Amino acid sequence: MTPLVDIQNLSKSFPGVKALDGVRFDLMPGEVHALMGENGAGKSTLMKILAGVYRKDSGQMMLDGKAVEIDSPAHAQALAIGIIHQELHLMGHLTAAQNIYLGREPRRMAGLFLDEEQLNRDAQALFDRMHLALAPTTPIGELTVARQQMVEIAKALSHKSRVLIMDEPTAALNNAEIDDLFRIIRQLKSEGVGIVYISHKMDEIQRIADRITVMRDGAYIATVPATTPMPEVIAMMVGRKLEQAEKTIPDTSANEVLLDVRGLNRGRAIRDVSFTVRRGEILGFAGLMGAGRTEVARAVFGADPIESGEVHVRGQHIRLTSPQDAVQAGIGYLSEDRKHFGLATGMDVESNITLPSLKRWLKWGIFLNQPAIRTISQQMVEKLRIKTPSLTQTAKLLSGGNQQKVVIAKWLVQDCEVLIFDEPTRGIDVGAKSEIYKLLNELAAQGRAIIVISSELPEVLQLSHRVLVMCEGRITGEVRGDEATQENLMALATQREAEAPAAVH
Ligand SMILES: Nc1ncnc2c1ncn2[C@@H]1O[C@H](COP(=O)(O)OP(=O)(O)OP(=O)(O)O)[C@@H](O)[C@H]1O
Ligand SMILES: [Mg+2]
C-alpha cells in the first residue's frame, strides 16, 4: 500500500534551535500514528510543516507517492490535510458555525448573500455526527475550552481531510468527551483517513494508536507498534532512566495550619466547602471535571466572589476581593487555563519567571539584584528542563509544554506560603512530570502548604499526603494519602447527592 504521507530526512531550524534534524515519518490510510516525545522534541513543528504553517529547510515530503512542496495552510487544506492545533485558533466573537466555515460560508442568490441557515444546518450535522449537544449559533467566546476544542475538531472534520493531524486534542477534554472523540477517530479510520495523534497521555496512545513514532531533541528515534510496553517507549523518549520518586508521607499533624477555609458557598458550584492545610502538607483534590475543584481554588484565590464563607491564613481572617489580595496574603494559584492567566507571551522566559516576584530581588529596596534573577531563572530552566535557546527567548516561541513549564516556574519562585496548583502537569512530558513532583515535595518540606488539583488519579495518588474528593460542588470524602486508591477515590468522586426524600406530612 502506498503511504498517504511519506516524510524523509526533514530538517528545520529556528534562530538558535535545530527543531528538526533529518526526521522521517509515514502515515498509512486508516491508521492512527502516534507521535511521541518530550516537550520541545519537535512534534508540533513537524506537523506544522506538513500542514503548511512552516516551510522545511530540507528533506522530502511525498503524498500518495508523489513529491510535494506544501507552501501554505490553504495549500495543505487543498491537499486534504487537516490540523487541529495545540493552541486553539477560534474567533471569540463568531458563532460556532461561523468559525467552522470561516472563509467558505455557503452562499445563496448567486453568491450574493451568506446562507446562515445552511451554515447552521451544516454545522448541526457535524455536531450530530460527533454526538455533541451544542447550538451552532453559540458564540465561541461563551464556550468552555473543552467545547471550543470540540468545535476545532468539527472544523477539521468539515474539510473532509484524508490526513488529519491532532496535536494534543484531549488536553482539556473530560473522559466522556474523550470517548466521543475516539469514536469519531475510529469512524474516520474505517473511512480510510490517516490520523496523526500527538499526546503525552500514555493510556490514550495505547487505546487508540496503531503505531508510535518517537522523537527526541529534533531527531527521529524509532517507529514501533503501539503494543510496545510503555516503559520501553518512555525510555526511548527521555533517553535516560527515570527515577520513580519514593512516596513518604511526613507527619504534619502538629504543624501550624496555614490555610483554613470555612463554609465556602457559591450557588451550586461550591456548597459548604471547609478544609485546612498545614505547613509541610500536600493536599490533593480529586474529582471529575466540573466537580467544583477549580471553583474552590478560584474563590480562595479571590478570583471569583463567594456568597458566604471565610478564608483564614495563619489564623488571620483575610478579605478576598481580588487575586492581588490573595498573593499579598501569601496564596499563589497556578491556573488550569495557562493561556489566559499565566503567560505573558510577548515577554522573555526570564521576565515571565521572575517579574511577578520582583520584590524579592530588590537590594536595599531599590536596586534589582540582576545576578540573583539570572541565577534563579537559570536554575528553574535546568530543574524543569525548559527547552529554550536562552533566558531571553520570547515565551511564545517555546513549544506548548515548555510554555507551561515557564508558568509553573513562576509560581515555584514566588514567596507564597500556600500554593495551589490546578492540573500542574497537563501537557507536560513524563520526564518533566517527575521533576515537578520532586519540586512540590521540596516546597512542602520547606514548610509551605501545597494544594494539588488533578484529574489524573495516578498523579493525585503519587503526590498527596491527604486527598479531598469533590462531587457536584461538595466535599464527599477525605482519604489519607497512604490509604487512597483509584477505586475509593472514584467512588467518592461519583457520590451524587441522594434524591431529595419525599416530603413527610
Ligand atoms: N516559531 C518558532 N521560533 C523559534 N523556535 C521555535 C518556534 N517553534 C518551535 N520552536 C522551537 O522548536 C523546538 C521544537 O518545538 P515543538 O513545538 O515542535 O515541540 P513539541 O514536540 O511540539 O513540544 P510540546 O510537547 O511541548 O508541545 C522547541 O525547542 C521550540 O522552542
Ligand atoms: Mg507541541
Side-chain angles (χ1 to χ4, degrees):
M1 210 180 340
T2 323
L4 278 172
V5 177
D6 191 0
I7 292 173
Q8 296 289 341
N9 212 11
L10 199 84
S11 294
K12 171 78 183 174
S13 291
F14 296 111
V17 185
K18 182 127 201 182
L20 297 173
D21 189 4
V23 171
R24 66 169 197 256
F25 183 83
D26 69 304
L27 181 68
M28 303 305 287
E31 174 189 44
V32 176
H33 193 154
L35 195 49
M36 301 188 76
E38 292 189 291
N39 298 130
K43 307 177 296 290
S44 295
T45 302
L46 178 62
M47 288 305 125
K48 282 179 180 169
I49 289 174
L50 181 56
V53 179
Y54 295 143
R55 300 291 301 266
K56 63 181 162 50
D57 294 343
S58 60
Q60 298 84 46
M61 284 202 284
M62 315 251 271
L63 284 186
D64 297 315
K66 286 191 280 295
V68 283
E69 293 290 328
I70 302 174
D71 48 25
S72 69
H75 187 196
Q77 236 164 51
L79 294 168
I81 299 170
I83 183 165
I84 298 162
H85 284 285
Q86 191 170 6
E87 313 83 21
L88 298 173
H89 283 268
L90 301 166
M91 307 277 187
H93 57 285
L94 299 181
T95 68
Q98 287 164 345
N99 262 289
I100 292 172
Y101 293 102
L102 194 65
R104 53 197 174 104
E105 296 85 354
R107 294 184 172 264
R108 57 192 172 89
M109 309 272 285
L112 276 179
F113 297 98
L114 271 186
D115 190 346
E116 280 287 334
E117 271 168 41
Q118 186 64 42
L119 181 81
N120 290 330
R121 267 199 305 276
D122 290 352
Q124 187 64 57
L126 281 172
F127 294 162
D128 288 348
R129 186 169 158 209
M130 295 171 67
H131 292 205
L132 182 62
L134 181 76
T137 49
T138 319
I140 282 289
E142 291 174 13
L143 298 179
T144 60
V145 178
R147 307 208 110 206
Q148 293 187 10
Q149 186 81 52
M150 296 305 259
V151 174
E152 278 277 9
I153 293 166
K155 185 172 180 172
L157 290 180
S158 74
H159 284 288
K160 304 196 171 53
S161 309
R162 293 178 56 226
V163 174
L164 188 54
I165 303 160
M166 300 188 173
D167 197 346
E168 296 195 35
T170 61
L173 303 191
N174 66 29
N175 287 341
E177 290 164 333
I178 292 173
D179 288 345
D180 279 341
L181 176 66
F182 282 8
R183 196 175 33 72
I184 295 164
I185 290 179
R186 290 202 184 92
Q187 186 188 331
L188 291 170
K189 259 175 77 114
S190 71
E191 294 167 11
V193 175
I195 292 158
V196 185
Y197 194 88
I198 302 179
S199 174
H200 292 287
K201 300 190 195 163
M202 309 290 165
D203 54 327
E204 277 179 12
I205 303 274
Q206 281 184 313
R207 267 176 72 193
I208 200 73
D210 299 302
R211 285 192 297 164
I212 301 172
T213 285
V214 178
M215 294 174 65
R216 184 166 77 230
D217 288 334
Y220 171 88
I221 302 296
T223 301
V224 295
T227 47
T228 310
M230 272 302 145
E232 272 176 46
V233 178
I234 292 173
M236 287 190 269
M237 279 168 60
V238 299
R240 63 198 144 87
K241 225 173 125 49
L242 279 186
E243 31 180 326
Q244 179 74 21
E246 285 258 324
K247 184 175 173 182
T248 44
I249 299 183
D251 180 8
T252 52
S253 56
N255 291 4
E256 179 190 11
V257 172
L258 274 184
L259 179 71
D260 184 358
V261 174
R262 302 179 191 167
L264 225 52
N265 274 293
R266 200 189 68 233
R268 294 187 64 76
I270 307 175
R271 297 196 278 162
D272 197 26
V273 166
S274 303
F275 63 92
T276 58
V277 204
R278 293 177 186 273
R279 273 192 197 282
E281 214 183 1
I282 301 181
L283 176 66
F285 264 85
L288 302 176
M289 246 182 238
R293 298 162 302 161
T294 293
E295 281 72 12
V296 168
R298 288 179 53 88
V300 171
F301 190 56
D304 291 332
I306 48 172
E307 280 152 17
S308 62
E310 288 181 2
V311 174
H312 296 243
V313 176
R314 281 185 308 269
Q316 207 112 52
H317 179 201
I318 53 166
R319 231 161 241 302
L320 289 174
T321 52
S322 71
Q324 282 75 22
D325 292 343
V327 172
Q328 199 74 39
I331 304 175
Y333 174 50
L334 171 87
S335 157
E336 65 174 338
D337 186 358
R338 326 263 204 271
K339 270 273 140 57
H340 289 105
F341 304 106
L343 197 73
T345 49
M347 292 205 300
D348 66 20
V349 171
E350 180 178 279
S351 309
N352 264 291
I353 296 176
T354 54
L355 256 190
S357 50
L358 218 49
K359 266 197 302 210
R360 273 184 82 179
W361 323 109
L362 284 179
K363 238 197 230 160
W364 306 304
I366 28 178
F367 301 112
L368 271 181
N369 186 349
Q370 215 64 43
I373 291 180
R374 237 334 88 103
T375 309
I376 189 89
S377 310
Q378 192 59 45
Q379 271 175 5
M380 277 299 149
V381 164
E382 281 162 20
K383 278 197 168 171
L384 295 181
R385 300 172 177 274
I386 299 175
K387 196 166 178 245
T388 176
S390 77
L391 289 175
T392 54
Q393 179 78 328
T394 311
K396 68 164 173 270
L397 299 182
L398 300 188
S399 78
N402 283 296
Q403 294 183 7
Q404 305 216 26
K405 292 184 190 176
V406 170
V407 185
I408 293 171
K410 171 178 103 175
W411 285 110
L412 292 176
V413 304
Q414 293 220 27
D415 228 354
C416 294
E417 288 204 298
V418 179
L419 280 165
I420 308 173
F421 292 92
D422 201 345
E423 305 289 354
T425 64
R426 184 182 276 173
I428 300 275
D429 67 57
V430 276
K433 261 188 197 174
S434 55
E435 299 299 327
I436 289 169
Y437 295 166
K438 230 193 301 179
L439 281 167
L440 293 184
N441 274 302
E442 278 173 32
L443 289 172
Q446 288 164 14
R448 312 221 200 164
I450 311 281
I451 295 175
V452 176
I453 301 173
S454 175
S455 299
E456 313 229 345
L457 284 177
E459 178 158 296
V460 174
L461 294 173
Q462 166 73 35
L463 276 170
S464 316
H465 302 161
R466 187 158 58 92
V467 187
L468 293 179
V469 189
M470 287 188 71
C471 177
E472 296 178 338
R474 295 171 305 127
I475 292 180
T476 48
E478 176 175 335
V479 187
R480 284 167 40 134
D482 48 2
E483 287 168 359
T485 61
Q486 303 234 10
E487 291 73 30
N488 60 18
L489 295 187
M490 267 321 277
L492 290 167
T494 49
Q495 198 176 91
R496 308 206 181 286
E497 215 165 19
E499 297 284 299
V504 183
H505 295 283

